[in-house]
Amino acid sequence: MIALVTGANKGIGYEIAAGLGRLGHRVGVGARDATRRETAVGKLRAAGVDAFEVPLDVTDGQSVTDAAELIERLAGRLDVLVNNAGIPGEMGPGWLQEPTTLDLEVLRTVVDTNVMGVVRVTNAMLPLLRRSASPRIVNVSSSVGSLARQADPDIEVGPIMAAYAPSKSFLNALTLQYARQFAGTNILINAACPGLVATDFTGFHGPRTPAQGAATPIRLATLPDGGPTGSFFEDDGVVPW
């Protein structure tokens, strides 16, 4: 089985790559930074994972095209795509992104990575995924993208994040649109919430480890045929839209 994980040089992405590798997947480590990418692949190989480097900037169309061509040459197909790369965007004091003072360039940058980047990568990899007997796509989302939870005053959803949270709502909606188009095919696509994980993304605040955060994406990446599609999951089950 051949997998590509974007943003896999560190944090949750690295642990997703490691987990898939332990299950026997050959894993492409997609990342922008060459040094971090090389280091991650070295660590994975030292742990017995069949890993290879995939230079990949999800905001750059040519980089995405080149990545698909590289996987074509090295593997000839793709069985699993995990769209993990994402950014929170510039934050104000208290980790706030208030809509009334939001810099539109911050919003544009976050959407370009967290939403448009997923479209770029997914569409570029689709010809390779269609060669798989059981293709799986996992979009790493967040419960802060749940409109139901955001609207419930009795649920603690953290600070106002007017760029990041809506980008994940957008990603969830996009996941549904892909699922609708893939209906009747063997492609399963779902969104995964890793929970609040202590990584550099969160300033190392959070009760969960990267390995714990990787558990749901790995499960969705290895669903059996006939498994769920067009859904949003966390460890405890389905997350409301």
Side-chain angles (χ1 to χ4, degrees):
M1 301 289 278
I2 312 299
L4 171 65
V5 183
T6 70
N9 60 295
K10 58 183 178 178
I12 297 168
Y14 176 86
E15 292 297 340
I16 294 170
L20 290 173
R22 287 192 293 270
L23 294 174
H25 290 66
R26 185 183 183 195
V27 183
V29 174
R32 292 179 299 177
D33 187 282
T35 300
R36 290 178 178 176
R37 188 177 63 241
E38 182 180 0
T39 299
V41 168
K43 286 173 59 181
L44 289 167
R45 288 177 175 170
V49 174
D50 185 359
F52 60 97
E53 292 186 50
V54 181
L56 180 57
D57 179 350
V58 302
T59 68
D60 184 326
Q62 188 59 56
S63 174
V64 173
T65 297
D66 292 345
E69 292 175 352
L70 175 64
I71 294 170
E72 166 83 53
R73 293 195 303 272
L74 293 179
R77 74 172 196 278
L78 190 62
D79 300 290
V80 173
L81 170 61
V82 181
N83 287 306
N84 168 74
I87 59 171
E90 184 179 344
M91 299 286 182
W95 235 56
L96 289 174
Q97 289 173 327
E98 294 179 328
T100 54
T101 56
L102 183 63
D103 185 335
L104 292 182
E105 284 304 314
V106 170
L107 179 60
R108 184 175 290 110
T109 300
V110 170
V111 171
D112 192 25
T113 299
N114 296 359
V115 181
M116 295 173 67
V118 170
V119 175
R120 288 188 193 96
V121 174
T122 300
N123 291 354
M125 300 300 163
L126 264 178
L128 296 170
L129 286 161
R130 292 188 189 278
R131 296 177 189 171
S132 171
S134 301
R136 304 290 180 259
I137 302 172
V138 181
N139 294 333
V140 178
S141 184
S142 169
S143 61
V144 302
S146 167
L147 297 178
R149 289 185 178 176
Q150 289 280 329
D152 189 334
D154 294 326
I155 296 178
E156 172 56 49
V157 292
I160 295 170
M161 302 177 74
Y164 178 71
S167 80
K168 292 304 186 180
S169 302
F170 195 164
L171 177 61
N172 291 345
L174 186 66
T175 301
L176 279 173
Q177 298 307 305
Y178 273 112
R180 291 180 64 201
Q181 185 173 354
F182 294 152
T185 76
N186 59 352
I187 302 175
L188 303 182
I189 180 169
N190 292 285
C193 171
L196 185 57
V197 175
T199 66
D200 59 353
F201 188 99
T202 61
F204 297 97
H205 294 293
R208 293 167 63 79
T209 66
Q212 289 173 321
T216 292
I218 291 169
R219 180 174 66 83
L220 296 176
T222 55
L223 285 171
D225 291 343
T229 191
S231 294
F232 184 17
F233 292 96
E234 60 187 2
D235 285 359
D236 292 335
V238 174
V239 182
W241 295 116

